[in-house]
Amino acid sequence: MMAPSAAAADSSPPSSPETTENHLQPFFVLHEASSRKPERTSTGTVKTRKKIDFSPSKLKNVEKPDVEIAKEGGDEGYGNLRMDAFEVVWSKIESTIKDVLRDINANVFNEIHQWVRDSFSTIRSFGMLTFREATQVFPIVTDASSKQLFTGLVLTKNMEFVDDLLTFEELGRHLKSQGCLVANLSSLDFTAKSGIGGCLRSLLRQFLVAPLDAADISILASWYREQGNYNNPVVVIVDDIERCCGSVLSDFILMFSEWVLKIPVILIMGVTTTLDAPRNILPSNVLQHLCPCMFTLGTPSERMDAIIEAVLVRQCSGFSISHKVAVFMRNYFVRQDGTITSFIRALKIACSQHFSMEPLSIILKGFFLEEDRQGLQDGLLLQAMFKHAFDLPSYGRNKMGEENVESFAHCLSELKRSQTRWRTVVLCLYEAGKGDRIQLLDLLCEALNPALYSSRTSGTCTKVDKGHGVSPSNNFPVQQHPIMRKGRLICQAVQKVRDLPIAQLYKLLKRWEELTVDINEIHAKLKELLSVIKLENGRSSRQDMADSSKRPVSRSQLNIEKESRAVNEKAASLIECMVRDYMQPVECSPLHEIVCFKNVETLQLALIGDPRRRIQIDLLESHKILRCSCCSRSGHSLLPSLHDTSILYNLAQEQGDHINLHDWYQSFKSKVCSSRSKGKHKSKQSPLPKKRKDMNEPDKPCEASIQARFCKAVTELQITGLIRMPTKRRPDFVQRVAFGL
């Protein structure tokens, strides 16, 4: 079947009209070929002429900078630069996500590998087989203890198995790197239709790396012995046991339990719900052949928090999202799908849309990814694009002063510096709220909210005081900063700091000390608080030894508790001032449009979609998609070369809720036949001979042909759900059922 583009470009009539009529494609807006023929030279060869326009508007476009041309969508080379920048940034994000997930599962993977080695040693302890015994086509008869399969049950706790696919693939690569022979089987291999033969064929394809039609386990036993793999365990990973057919999985386990001495198979099976799932799937006689061992991966919330921290808080690539986008992605993750895979897909769509919409987004490739800032030194970014940066709303709103290269570079440096401080405060709050199970994604949505950020003049303190840690006096303020009053999770984290015991507070401050290395003021105050805690701990330990034989509560103990509460208040006041002075959302910084994606409507349309509205836009604005020469010259006027469905739906916009079929048809007929009258008007001035002129003129469509095209276009509009066909009460009217454009 011919592709739509090819069908549109070929002006010759189709060889089989019946085939064309039976293969309608109502969802494609096609464009008919232009009736204008290319001019021919005297030798008969086709010669196309390209008209060069020397109008002032064209010359003015040549003098436009690349940024303006890219903004209008006319410079494909500049679009390629943005596409290259997107690939670099997203590859950085993708590799970071893989590293994060690998680090989360590293400890569990090491435990599984050690268990595999111990299980393999236990199987070997039953006795070594000779080469003849190992290559026999029947199993070895032994006692029941040697027929048990060592089975690792890995609890994933995920809502969908799609998040477990990458985890088990990574587990397989980890075990292969340690010398194990690994095969990954999907739950689709354990179906009643394929049976036990489908499982064996999949194993043979992965181990023997050759397509085999015969599903014989003796082939696998011979391969294991003959290829020198006898000193390595065979690991079979099944991603989701609860999606497998119980009877096929039972036959699989019983078969390998008979061959376990010849083929030391060790099973690893993923469990989504509970570790009791095998009892609900497998019969008791099969469970007797399993020797289970339990493993638990990190919870989905832990993995999500790790991804959010690496990608959106620490900003490994410099790319960030706005508050509205973060809230939408959180709600989409919770309500729609609930899988990490869908969240990563939404993040990729947001990143790609940012690079397609913002011309200055290519700075992310050079400035935020390279420490030496070579992207700013080559002159391309500064000289060709800084003029466009001064037109950004955030730059004019912040009144940054003179518009020059130095101001542009200074704004970028301040943007990066403010993001570093914002990241530090968010991570400190997250460390404080871990005890209350605060999710980092929820905290991120609150920290990105520009409405919670106010001027530095309001609040409890003006700066981090140099003499007393955080407060100019020993009396702690009662009035809270607006952020503390409105931010639910931020206030909860600060209150957690006040309630921590002195030992846990010391650990928290040590963690803050690691996070605030880049902020010298806060880092120095944390060292001071840590020294105070050490001093208080020394006093309390000496007082406990002195008062051990006295009454339970002494005045000195009360003083120690009071001083301990004072340290908690100083730590809480410190984090409050950090929130006020340093937690500036990215949307409050100048030039944040370069790094921050804010268009939540386009992201919502890409993820959730609105197909009916998309069809209407494509039909009404097909010239913007096709970008042909005739439509670009005509503007918004309808041309006969447009597809019939597009012409008909544009004419329907002139009608009300009910469209008269006769008037609709007459309007359609006048548009379709308008090319005939124009062709006659142009033919009077044509210098070509009359014979050749008659050959080049298109044939006038007959009434039957126009009616057939009209009926076909109306049917396509009905199929797409834009109109309702006539009823018996009003057979000459159709009803519009889609509005809103």
Side-chain angles (χ1 to χ4, degrees):
M1 184 176 178
M2 190 180 300
S5 60
D10 192 0
S11 59
S12 60
S15 57
S16 55
E18 297 179 0
T19 305
T20 305
E21 294 296 330
N22 294 331
H23 291 79
L24 302 180
Q25 296 182 357
F27 293 92
F28 287 93
V29 180
L30 304 180
H31 193 283
E32 295 179 359
S34 176
S35 60
R36 181 171 55 88
K37 298 293 182 177
E39 297 182 2
R40 295 180 178 271
T41 59
S42 58
T43 58
T45 59
V46 179
K47 180 180 179 181
T48 59
R49 295 183 179 180
K50 184 177 180 180
K51 184 178 180 181
I52 302 176
D53 193 353
F54 294 98
S55 61
S57 59
K58 295 295 182 179
L59 296 177
K60 185 176 180 181
N61 290 335
V62 175
E63 298 176 357
K64 287 184 178 181
D66 293 341
V67 175
E68 296 183 10
I69 297 176
K71 188 175 181 180
E72 296 173 0
D75 192 356
E76 297 180 358
Y78 195 76
N80 293 334
L81 288 178
R82 281 189 283 171
M83 181 59 64
D84 295 340
F86 163 72
E87 292 177 356
V88 171
V89 171
W90 180 251
S91 63
K92 177 65 176 178
I93 295 176
E94 195 172 24
S95 61
T96 302
I97 293 174
K98 291 181 180 179
D99 294 340
V100 166
L101 297 178
R102 187 184 303 111
D103 294 340
I104 290 178
N105 300 323
N107 294 331
V108 180
F109 286 178
N110 292 331
E111 293 178 7
I112 293 176
H113 173 251
Q114 186 60 40
W115 168 79
V116 168
R117 286 297 176 182
D118 295 341
S119 303
F120 180 67
S121 301
T122 304
I123 296 174
R124 283 298 189 88
S125 65
F126 291 114
M128 299 290 293
L129 301 179
T130 63
F131 181 82
R132 181 175 177 276
E133 291 175 338
T135 54
Q136 289 176 351
V137 295
F138 50 85
I140 302 296
V141 180
T142 56
D143 56 347
S145 60
S146 62
K147 293 184 178 181
Q148 284 192 330
L149 284 178
F150 289 91
T151 306
L153 300 178
V154 182
L155 183 61
T156 60
K157 299 180 182 179
N158 280 331
M159 295 178 61
E160 294 290 340
F161 77 100
V162 65
D163 286 344
D164 302 330
L165 297 179
L166 295 178
T167 302
F168 286 108
E169 289 178 3
E170 189 63 33
L171 175 60
R173 285 191 290 267
H174 177 76
L175 295 177
K176 285 181 181 179
S177 64
Q178 302 297 328
C180 301
L181 305 174
V182 183
N184 289 81
L185 295 183
S186 171
S187 57
L188 299 177
D189 296 322
F190 294 89
T191 59
K193 182 178 181 180
S194 59
I196 190 64
C199 305
L200 283 177
R201 278 188 287 268
S202 180
L203 285 177
L204 293 175
R205 282 194 300 267
Q206 296 187 50
F207 284 128
L208 276 67
V209 197
L212 295 176
D213 296 333
D216 192 354
I217 192 174
S218 61
I219 300 176
L220 186 61
S222 301
W223 165 84
Y224 179 75
R225 182 71 184 194
E226 294 174 355
Q227 298 297 325
N229 299 317
Y230 194 66
N231 294 324
N232 299 317
V234 177
V235 181
V236 178
I237 300 176
V238 182
D239 53 20
D240 192 353
I241 184 177
E242 296 170 90
R243 293 179 177 268
C244 299
C245 178
S247 59
V248 178
L249 183 60
S250 300
D251 295 340
F252 183 82
I253 294 173
L254 292 175
M255 178 183 63
F256 273 100
S257 65
E258 298 290 338
W259 290 78
V260 67
L261 292 182
K262 289 187 175 184
I263 310 173
V265 173
I266 299 173
L267 293 180
I268 297 178
M269 297 188 292
V271 181
T272 304
T273 55
T274 61
L275 293 174
D276 295 333
R279 298 180 182 178
N280 302 327
I281 300 175
L282 303 175
S284 59
N285 64 322
V286 178
L287 293 174
Q288 294 176 358
H289 291 277
L290 299 180
C291 182
C293 183
M294 312 300 177
F295 301 96
T296 303
L297 294 175
T299 61
S301 60
E302 292 176 355
R303 280 181 276 183
M304 175 60 74
D305 286 346
I307 293 174
I308 294 297
E309 178 180 349
V311 177
L312 296 179
V313 178
R314 295 186 181 272
Q315 296 177 359
C316 60
S317 63
F319 173 73
S320 62
I321 58 177
S322 66
H323 169 252
K324 292 183 178 180
V325 174
V327 172
F328 169 75
M329 292 180 66
R330 180 191 62 184
N331 296 337
Y332 176 78
F333 171 74
V334 174
R335 300 174 184 174
Q336 298 291 334
D337 200 331
T339 61
I340 296 178
T341 304
S342 64
F343 185 86
I344 297 174
R345 182 175 65 249
L347 183 64
K348 184 176 183 180
I349 293 175
C351 185
S352 62
Q353 289 180 342
H354 174 69
F355 279 89
S356 64
M357 298 170 62
E358 178 53 51
L360 295 178
S361 58
I362 63 173
I363 296 179
L364 284 170
K365 178 182 178 181
F367 181 71
F368 286 94
L369 295 184
E370 298 179 6
E371 296 297 330
D372 56 355
R373 301 183 183 180
Q374 291 294 329
L376 292 178
Q377 296 177 4
D378 59 3
L380 174 63
L381 299 179
L382 290 178
Q383 296 180 5
M385 295 186 298
F386 79 95
K387 292 183 180 180
H388 174 73
F390 299 139
D391 296 332
L392 295 176
S394 61
Y395 189 88
R397 185 169 56 248
N398 288 272
K399 299 179 181 179
M400 300 307 298
E402 298 182 0
E403 298 181 357
N404 49 34
V405 178
E406 290 76 11
S407 177
F408 178 60
H410 174 72
C411 289
L412 289 181
S413 299
E414 286 297 320
L415 175 62
K416 191 173 183 180
R417 179 170 171 266
S418 64
Q419 286 299 97
T420 302
R421 294 188 168 190
W422 174 86
R423 173 179 70 237
T424 301
V425 180
V426 172
L427 292 178
C428 288
L429 290 171
Y430 177 60
E431 291 292 334
K434 279 185 176 180
D436 290 344
R437 297 182 179 181
I438 293 179
Q439 301 295 325
L440 185 56
L441 183 56
D442 298 332
L443 182 62
L444 175 71
C445 295
E446 195 168 296
L448 287 173
N449 191 355
L452 298 182
Y453 183 79
S454 59
S455 63
R456 297 187 180 184
T457 56
S458 62
T460 60
C461 55
T462 57
K463 268 292 183 181
V464 178
D465 187 68
K466 297 183 179 180
H468 299 280
V470 292
S471 180
S473 64
N474 291 331
N475 298 325
F476 299 101
V478 178
Q479 182 183 3
Q480 287 185 332
H481 190 262
I483 293 180
M484 310 308 301
R485 293 197 300 266
K486 297 179 181 179
R488 179 179 60 86
L489 296 179
I490 296 176
C491 184
Q492 183 179 346
V494 174
Q495 186 61 37
K496 184 66 177 179
V497 175
R498 290 191 173 95
D499 300 336
L500 281 178
I502 194 66
Q504 296 184 13
L505 180 63
Y506 180 79
K507 294 181 180 179
L508 177 63
L509 294 181
K510 289 293 290 183
R511 179 59 180 154
W512 284 3
E513 186 181 17
E514 298 174 1
L515 295 173
T516 58
V517 176
D518 298 331
I519 307 178
N520 296 329
E521 294 181 51
I522 303 299
H523 194 67
K525 294 306 161 185
L526 285 172
K527 287 185 177 181
E528 181 181 344
L529 282 176
L530 288 171
S531 62
V532 172
I533 293 177
K534 288 181 181 179
L535 182 61
E536 296 295 335
N537 287 337
R539 291 179 182 177
S540 61
S541 61
R542 289 194 300 268
Q543 189 64 36
D544 290 342
M545 294 177 62
D547 297 340
S548 59
S549 59
K550 298 181 181 179
R551 52 186 179 177
V553 179
S554 62
R555 182 176 297 179
S556 59
Q557 287 178 332
L558 294 176
N559 292 334
I560 291 174
E561 293 178 359
K562 184 178 180 181
E563 293 175 357
S564 176
R565 287 195 298 270
V567 174
N568 283 69
E569 286 294 340
K570 287 184 179 181
S573 299
L574 175 62
I575 189 63
E576 285 181 354
C577 289
M578 289 171 60
V579 169
R580 188 198 58 206
D581 295 335
Y582 301 119
M583 201 176 73
Q584 179 182 359
V586 63
E587 292 182 80
C588 298
S589 301
L591 303 183
H592 70 269
E593 293 90 347
I594 299 175
V595 301
C596 180
F597 176 71
K598 302 169 57 177
N599 199 331
V600 67
E601 289 80 11
T602 57
L603 179 62
Q604 181 177 359
L605 186 62
L607 290 174
I608 300 177
D610 191 356
R612 178 174 290 184
R613 185 175 185 273
R614 184 72 261 172
I615 293 173
Q616 294 181 76
I617 294 175
D618 290 344
L619 289 173
L620 295 176
E621 301 178 356
S622 58
H623 58 279
K624 295 183 179 180
I625 302 174
L626 298 173
R627 295 182 181 179
C628 55
S629 58
C630 56
C631 292
S632 61
R633 290 194 302 266
S634 63
H636 297 285
S637 61
L638 293 179
L639 293 179
S641 57
L642 284 176
H643 193 264
D644 296 340
T645 310
S646 182
I647 297 175
L648 207 59
Y649 193 68
N650 276 275
L651 294 174
Q653 306 305 307
E654 303 172 359
Q655 308 292 332
D657 295 349
H658 294 82
I659 306 173
N660 187 286
L661 283 174
H662 178 73
D663 296 340
W664 203 16
Y665 171 73
Q666 293 298 330
S667 300
F668 175 76
K669 180 180 178 181
S670 63
K671 290 293 180 182
V672 171
C673 297
S674 61
S675 60
R676 179 67 182 176
S677 59
K678 293 181 181 179
K680 288 183 177 180
H681 178 71
K682 292 182 179 180
S683 63
K684 295 180 180 180
Q685 300 178 355
S686 176
L688 296 177
K690 183 177 181 181
K691 183 177 181 180
R692 179 172 295 182
K693 180 172 62 178
D694 295 338
M695 293 172 58
N696 293 336
E697 287 183 356
D699 297 333
K700 180 180 179 180
C702 61
E703 188 74 16
S705 175
I706 298 176
Q707 292 181 6
R709 292 168 58 182
F710 177 79
C711 293
K712 181 180 177 181
V714 171
T715 305
E716 290 179 355
L717 292 177
Q718 182 199 13
I719 293 174
T720 53
L722 301 180
I723 63 171
R724 187 176 297 154
M725 297 303 282
T727 60
K728 293 182 179 179
R729 294 182 58 185
R730 305 186 70 176
D732 54 344
F733 282 86
V734 295
Q735 183 180 0
R736 292 175 60 188
V737 294
F739 300 92
L741 291 180

